[in-house]
Amino acid sequence: MKKLSLFFLSLMCITLWSCSDDENPAIEVVVNFSDKLTDPNSSFQPEGGEVDGYYKVVTFTDTRNLVEMPSYYSDWGFGGGFTYTNISDKTTPGYMNLGNITGVGRSGSVYLTANSNAYTPAYVKNLDVSKYQFKGAWVTNSTYAYLAVKDGNDGNNPALVRKFGDGDWFKLTAVGYDVSDNELGCVDFYLADYRDGQSKVVNAWEWFDWSALATADHISFELSSTDSGEFGMNTPSYFCMDGITLVEK
């Protein structure tokens, strides 16, 4: 009987130990912009801002003020950084189309479109690093970049942008920085990959894991491509993002 009691006591301890990790699961928070736009096929229309080169620049936040990001714009519209939109156009080439190739958002009707380069950098800043860490986000190709890569059609200069072939790639890199702008590391995501016999151009929402950059104060985004020339990358420096996810510490 004593041996039996010890057995059940041991079993109970094992059960309690195995469940202990589930008692306080990490709480995830998904950033969204669902209440920011009311009209269909529309985008963020910034006002004010400071002049930065050819553009004015403002920063905006999500519905719950969890993250902040920049938006560059001019009289003709979006110039770079990030904007939020619900455009569903999957077929029109060119930079005026801010839609993504899926035609819909991943976690709602409103999602983010970015144009990130040296002149209009796109970044996401964690507004409460004492409470939250970065986990990741869903990404996909913009219609603009997708048609340029897949068909060689950027809606502007077919002699400049070429259709991707063997060995080509189009890569999104997330770079994490601390509050003092010291680099913490980086992670890559291929928006198009024609290496090693592949011919993939992302046309669905796919998860981009930022766990290696979890403690970053802000994450910036860089784009690179094998289709580059004397003046830089020929592939449009656009991508789309949705469902930025934070985890409570």
Side-chain angles (χ1 to χ4, degrees):
M1 181 64 72
K2 184 176 180 179
K3 290 183 178 180
L4 190 61
S5 298
L6 289 172
F7 170 77
F8 282 113
L9 180 60
S10 299
L11 183 61
M12 183 175 68
C13 289
I14 292 170
T15 303
L16 289 173
W17 177 81
S18 65
C19 293
S20 61
D21 289 340
D22 297 328
E23 291 176 357
N24 297 295
I27 298 174
E28 296 184 359
V29 180
V30 179
V31 170
N32 74 81
F33 299 84
S34 59
D35 67 341
K36 298 284 189 177
L37 296 174
T38 55
D39 297 329
N41 289 304
S42 59
S43 300
F44 174 46
Q45 299 293 324
E47 296 179 357
E50 298 181 0
V51 176
D52 186 349
Y54 294 104
Y55 301 102
K56 288 185 177 181
V57 59
V58 298
T59 58
F60 64 90
T61 65
D62 63 294
T63 301
R64 296 179 55 184
N65 294 316
L66 297 171
V67 297
E68 177 186 270
M69 51 203 70
S71 185
Y72 295 79
Y73 70 99
S74 66
D75 292 339
W76 53 263
F78 174 66
F82 278 105
T83 188
Y84 51 83
T85 183
N86 56 15
I87 290 174
S88 58
D89 188 344
K90 301 189 294 182
T91 59
T92 305
Y95 68 91
M96 296 299 289
N97 181 4
L98 298 178
N100 77 75
I101 196 58
T102 77
V104 294
R106 172 60 175 73
S107 57
S109 61
V110 182
Y111 57 91
L112 296 162
T113 294
N115 172 21
S116 190
N117 55 60
Y119 304 102
T120 60
Y123 67 81
V124 176
K125 178 178 175 60
N126 181 353
L127 292 177
D128 192 351
V129 293
S130 66
K131 185 176 181 180
Y132 296 105
Q133 292 184 329
F134 287 113
K135 180 179 181 181
W138 297 88
V139 295
T140 192
N141 273 299
S142 66
T143 300
Y144 178 28
Y146 180 88
L147 295 178
V149 166
K150 192 170 187 299
D151 301 330
N153 183 5
D154 71 345
N156 180 40
N157 190 350
L160 180 63
V161 175
R162 61 175 171 79
K163 180 179 178 179
F164 271 30
D166 289 346
D168 282 327
W169 50 261
F170 177 37
K171 182 171 65 177
L172 171 64
T173 300
V175 186
Y177 296 89
D178 66 18
V179 69
S180 299
D181 246 5
N182 298 308
E183 185 174 329
L184 302 176
C186 62
V187 288
D188 294 329
F189 180 92
Y190 283 87
L191 291 164
D193 195 351
Y194 282 68
R195 301 171 302 164
D196 302 322
Q198 300 183 85
S199 57
K200 178 182 178 179
V201 188
V202 172
N203 61 359
W205 289 104
E206 296 190 11
W207 180 250
F208 189 9
D209 186 358
W210 300 346
S211 56
L213 312 175
T215 60
D217 171 79
H218 56 284
I219 296 176
S220 67
F221 301 93
E222 301 172 0
L223 291 154
S224 53
S225 168
T226 47
D227 185 9
S228 298
E230 180 182 355
F231 301 105
M233 190 170 68
N234 296 324
T235 306
S237 55
Y238 283 66
F239 69 96
C240 295
M241 180 183 294
D242 199 6
I244 297 171
T245 303
L246 306 175
V247 180
E248 284 195 7
K249 291 183 175 179

